[in-house]
Amino acid sequence: MKKTLALILSLVLCVGMLAACGGEKAPAEEPAPAEDAAPAEDAPAEEAEVKNIEKLSVYFVPSREPDEIITVTEPLKDLLKAEMLKQGYEIGEVVINVGTTFEAVGEALSAGTADIGLIPGSTYVLYDDGADVILTATRDGLSKDFDDAKSWNDGQPTEASENQAVSYRALMIAGPSEKGQELAAKVNAGEELTWDDINSANWSVMGVSSPAGYVYPSLWMQDHFEKGITDLDSAVQADSYASAFARLASGQIDVLCTYADARRDYEERWNTEFEREASIWEETNVIGVTSPIYNDTISVSKSSPIMDADLIEALQNAFINIGNTPEGKEVIAIYSHNGYQVAQSADYDSEREAQKLIQELSK
């Protein structure tokens, strides 16, 4: 009897184990259909995350010749498309324009005809009712960074340093004309220039929102002579620094206002296109040095119909990434930019103070 009962229990146990084993096989085969179905379910979700923008309009200020800027920045179109796609934005077309003046770019941003503008801090401040700053450019520091003009005039090139800088200086540079050499000789002899000295020269300046070409040189004149650019008897506005250096080389002007590393940009053309025999470092001299100027901005339009917080963040990431690549650095070098960092409006409060003083001087 006991043997019979043990046999029955043994058979029941075996049947139970077989049933359990059979039950485990079904779930093992179920994931296969689920895996096949997953891509079909995920694909629409991934596509929905990519936002499409038909056109992105980028404007540059004419601190270099417009044709040169258009040529050099052409690769930016594809670089920006690729980086924006990584940020979840598919850009149909990137359009690059160069404004006729610094102010024209500020007006384009305010009107919303420009989505993005690479503009100086002073231009941003003048048009901050219609534009938001999102990035500040970093640039290579320079081997020369002196407060006094004479120290720049050793006849040797100004070179890039390994240190990155978020500010730069404006210089007033005298050329090879008789008056230019006269002013340079006085500075290099350690003598102070007078207003009569300054006013007797023919000057080249940029638009009123150009920090290096107008704003800070005017502040320098105010500090030294209690006068400004508007008080000069002869000051003409150049359409670009290239044309200003061409006129300086030819003797049409005696002094120009420009950024501290400008002579590095025109060193070769000084002897080729501008047909000078000696080097630009020998034939030009610094006669005035401004206080540091906070670097250029990448600003966006407040009126652009496509601009919002998400797009701004994507643009910040994209331009920072572009500035960290060799290809990107080659493009943004047109403005002596080396990279970008996130900016705040308050970074340019000192620029606002400078603009306020300029406006008071102009009244």
Side-chain angles (χ1 to χ4, degrees):
M1 185 67 181
K2 289 181 180 179
K3 290 182 179 180
T4 302
L5 182 59
L7 179 60
I8 293 172
L9 289 174
S10 177
L11 289 171
V12 171
L13 181 61
C14 287
V15 171
M17 291 177 66
L18 289 171
C21 290
E24 287 174 1
K25 288 181 182 178
E29 295 174 356
E30 288 175 4
E35 288 175 4
D36 292 338
E41 294 174 0
D42 291 344
E46 289 177 2
E47 290 177 5
E49 291 176 1
V50 176
K51 300 178 182 178
N52 293 302
I53 292 179
E54 183 178 343
K55 183 175 74 172
L56 195 63
S57 179
V58 182
Y59 271 66
F60 288 82
V61 293
S63 59
R64 303 284 286 269
E65 288 180 298
D67 288 345
E68 181 185 6
I69 294 173
I70 291 293
T71 300
V72 172
T73 60
E74 177 67 22
L76 179 63
K77 296 178 180 179
D78 289 337
L79 290 172
L80 194 52
K81 284 182 181 180
E83 286 297 334
M84 287 298 288
L85 189 58
K86 296 176 185 177
Q87 304 300 320
Y89 286 86
E90 185 169 1
I91 310 298
E93 181 184 14
V94 175
V95 179
I96 293 178
N97 292 289
V98 180
T100 53
T101 64
F102 287 55
E103 294 74 35
V105 180
E107 290 166 4
L109 287 168
S110 294
T113 53
D115 301 309
I116 304 167
L118 280 80
I119 58 177
S122 56
T123 306
Y124 156 66
V125 166
L126 281 178
Y127 293 92
D128 61 1
D129 285 345
D132 281 322
V133 61
I134 64 170
L135 294 165
T136 292
T138 62
R139 62 173 67 206
D140 291 330
L142 297 176
S143 58
K144 298 177 185 177
D145 187 22
F146 307 109
D147 291 321
D148 66 300
K150 180 181 177 181
S151 298
W152 293 75
N153 300 331
D154 58 2
Q156 299 300 312
T158 301
E159 298 177 341
S161 73
E162 295 181 355
N163 298 324
Q164 290 299 294
V166 293
S167 65
Y168 63 102
R169 294 180 186 268
L171 303 178
M172 281 132 282
I173 297 176
S177 68
E178 182 178 351
K179 175 57 69 173
Q181 293 297 298
E182 175 188 320
L183 298 179
K186 192 169 183 178
V187 167
N188 291 336
E191 300 178 33
E192 292 287 337
L193 295 177
T194 67
W195 174 252
D196 287 340
D197 292 328
I198 295 297
N199 197 35
S200 64
N202 294 317
W203 287 70
S204 175
V205 300
M206 298 299 288
V208 294
S209 73
S210 171
Y214 192 97
V215 177
Y216 280 76
S218 193
L219 290 173
W220 176 84
M221 292 181 190
Q222 175 65 24
D223 290 341
H224 285 77
F225 313 110
E226 296 186 352
K227 294 182 182 292
I229 286 175
T230 55
D231 296 308
L232 291 169
D233 286 343
S234 178
V236 295
Q237 181 176 325
D239 57 1
S240 69
Y241 285 118
S243 63
F245 271 98
R247 291 170 184 164
L248 189 72
S250 68
Q252 295 178 48
I253 58 170
D254 306 307
V255 184
L256 61 74
C257 303
T258 189
Y259 52 99
D261 49 346
R263 288 183 293 178
R264 299 181 66 228
D265 293 335
Y266 296 97
E267 179 177 12
E268 182 178 345
R269 294 171 69 179
W270 187 260
N271 301 117
T272 55
E273 184 179 335
F274 304 156
E275 300 180 340
R276 299 299 306 183
E277 293 186 3
S279 75
I280 195 171
W281 309 103
E282 296 172 287
E283 290 200 297
T284 64
N285 287 271
V286 177
I287 64 169
V289 183
T290 72
S291 56
I293 307 166
Y294 214 75
N295 278 353
D296 294 344
T297 79
I298 294 181
S299 296
V300 297
S301 171
K302 292 181 179 179
S303 302
S304 169
I306 64 172
M307 200 61 60
D308 59 23
D310 290 339
L311 180 56
I312 287 174
E313 183 179 359
L315 288 169
Q316 287 173 322
N317 293 334
F319 273 103
I320 289 173
N321 291 342
I322 288 171
N324 286 331
T325 66
E327 299 83 0
K329 287 184 185 298
E330 188 173 345
V331 171
I332 64 179
I334 188 72
Y335 281 163
S336 300
H337 296 177
N338 193 62
Y340 299 100
Q341 65 182 31
V342 175
Q344 305 294 330
S345 177
D347 294 339
Y348 291 87
D349 283 347
S350 60
E351 189 65 45
R352 291 183 174 88
E353 291 300 317
Q355 288 292 336
K356 182 179 178 182
L357 179 57
I358 288 295
Q359 292 171 7
E360 291 173 354
L361 293 174
S362 300
K363 291 180 181 179

